[in-house]
Amino acid sequence: MTRQMAVPCTVMRGGTSKALYFLAEDLPTERGARDAFLLAAMGSPDPREIDGMGGGHPLTSKVAVVNRSIRPGIDVDYLFLQVWPDRAEVSDQQNCGNILAGVGPFALENGLLPAADGVTPVAIYLVNTDSKATAYVETPGGVVNYAGSARIDGVPGTHAPITINFEDVSGSSCGSLLPTGNVTDVVNGVEVTCVDNGMPVACLNASDFGITGYETPAELEANSELRGRVEEIRLQLGPLMNLGDVTNKTVPKMSLLAPAKGGGAISTRTFIPHRVHESIGVLGAVSVATACVLKGSVAEKIGSPDTPGRGDGAAMEVQVEHPSGFFTVQMEVDNSSDHPVVTKSALLRTARMLMSGSVYVPQIFRENT
Ligand code: NQM
């Protein structure tokens, strides 16, 4: 008889994504065993992930591993893992700012730090990229509050706000803000701006691919010629962006840009990298917003000339349009050198605990834990 084993797990929506959240101590320590466990828990590989918790899409096939931190000034460490739905692979090659939004509530719910009466700042170390973020979680009476009036595009209804401040995310995956050393490069005859301000992103002009840039994600995913062209460029960008062979990596993200349509700074459609995002990733949006203020970049040339604060330093808000609305990035920019340096970025997310209990996987994994 094959029994099942139960592992403590919380399901949270973080921003516009959804993940299984685990305490590190509940997972196998050895990487191969951990990944085998997570694939079984998620139901991967299977495009529908029908025999597991995954939702059959990269945005709903994510994992957060959290533990109390021993780093000075940090409350918790957060490791993000992307489980590919259709391939037996687990990747730690990127951050996820959406799932980051659930880390504060998860840590507080699990007693990893004490909750204040009011708002609790949670200092989070992002293991994937060796960087830091602070999330501000509403905790009236010392209890996490999920209800509120904050609205983020891509999520129905309103919820309690979680403000996240990032410090020092520039070059966190590729080593520098402009990983190729240039504001623009030409690859396969197409101009591209590569930026890493927390997420490696290639900014491209949608019109260079014969599309408007306002198509739906489904329309773009159905366009196999477009997908092929975008992927060819991505594979060439891997080594140029210091990411090596990116065949099996989830970065760089490929953002096809068009002029803003709804009063924002720029419009985006982002391959992440094979499915098209229904909105845009958090750090992906920070990187695109950064590209908007880089003189001569693909984004700056397409973006709205009246992007608030553009070119004149200090604090600014950049509204990044995406398939389901807007993403507002607040940035502080130092314009004292040739290229602007984004010294701080902040954004608004919401998160909600959906389930807390045990996830079940076949007993076969017990010997690995
Ligand atoms: O860019 C999707 C998401 C993400 C990542 C992706 C993210 C980020 O929306 O920080 O949030 O680009 O793979 O969850």
Side-chain angles (χ1 to χ4, degrees), residues 47-238:
R48 292 188 305 150
E49 296 184 314
I50 197 67
D51 198 30
M53 297 296 294
H57 191 288
L59 298 178
T60 51
S61 188
K62 300 186 163 204
V63 170
V65 184
V66 182
N67 59 274
R68 191 180 277 124
S69 186
I70 53 165
R71 291 162 205 277
I74 299 286
D75 296 308
V76 293
D77 297 339
Y78 153 55
L79 171 70
F80 170 71
L81 296 170
Q82 177 74 60
V83 178
W84 292 72
D86 50 355
R87 289 221 300 264
E89 260 186 66
V90 177
S91 170
D92 62 3
Q93 295 293 308
Q94 70 164 84
N95 255 335
C96 181
N98 273 309
I99 296 312
L100 171 65
V103 169
F106 174 78
L108 290 159
E109 296 281 7
N110 283 277
L112 300 188
L113 73 160
D117 180 11
V119 173
T120 307
V122 184
I124 302 167
Y125 174 71
L126 285 70
V127 177
N128 304 72
T129 50
D130 183 25
S131 41
K132 186 192 158 188
T134 305
Y136 294 84
V137 183
E138 284 191 1
T139 47
V143 177
V144 177
N145 173 45
Y146 295 99
S149 57
R151 179 184 302 281
I152 59 171
D153 285 334
V155 178
T158 64
H159 304 270
I162 299 176
T163 304
I164 305 177
N165 289 349
F166 292 104
E167 286 161 33
D168 225 10
V169 285
S170 168
S172 53
S173 295
C174 304
S176 61
L177 182 73
L178 293 174
T180 68
N182 305 313
V183 176
T184 62
D185 295 275
V186 176
V187 177
N188 282 8
V190 175
E191 193 177 38
V192 52
T193 292
C194 301
V195 179
D196 171 14
N197 203 9
M199 180 67 74
V201 176
C203 297
L204 301 144
N205 189 336
S207 68
D208 285 344
F209 295 84
I211 60 167
T212 63
Y214 307 118
E215 292 80 0
T216 64
E219 284 166 346
L220 296 174
E221 287 180 2
N223 185 341
S224 54
E225 193 215 325
L226 170 72
R227 285 204 332 253
R229 281 186 70 194
V230 170
E231 181 64 0
E232 257 181 41
I233 295 173
R234 193 182 78 85
L235 295 179
Q236 291 192 47
L237 287 177

Side-chain angles (χ1 to χ4, degrees), residues 14 16-17 59 62 82 94-99 199 250 253 270 272 277 279-285:
T16 51
S17 282
L59 298 178
K62 300 186 163 204
Q82 177 74 60
Q94 70 164 84
N95 255 335
C96 181
N98 273 309
I99 296 312
M199 180 67 74
T250 55
K253 312 293 178 186
T270 307
I272 58 167
H277 208 303
S279 51
I280 189 168
V282 168
L283 289 152

Side-chain angles (χ1 to χ4, degrees), residues 263-295:
I266 198 146
S267 171
T268 61
R269 296 290 183 271
T270 307
F271 283 82
I272 58 167
H274 303 130
R275 302 296 301 269
V276 176
H277 208 303
E278 297 293 332
S279 51
I280 189 168
V282 168
L283 289 152
V286 173
S287 288
V288 170
T290 302
C292 287
V293 298
L294 288 175
K295 213 161 178 20

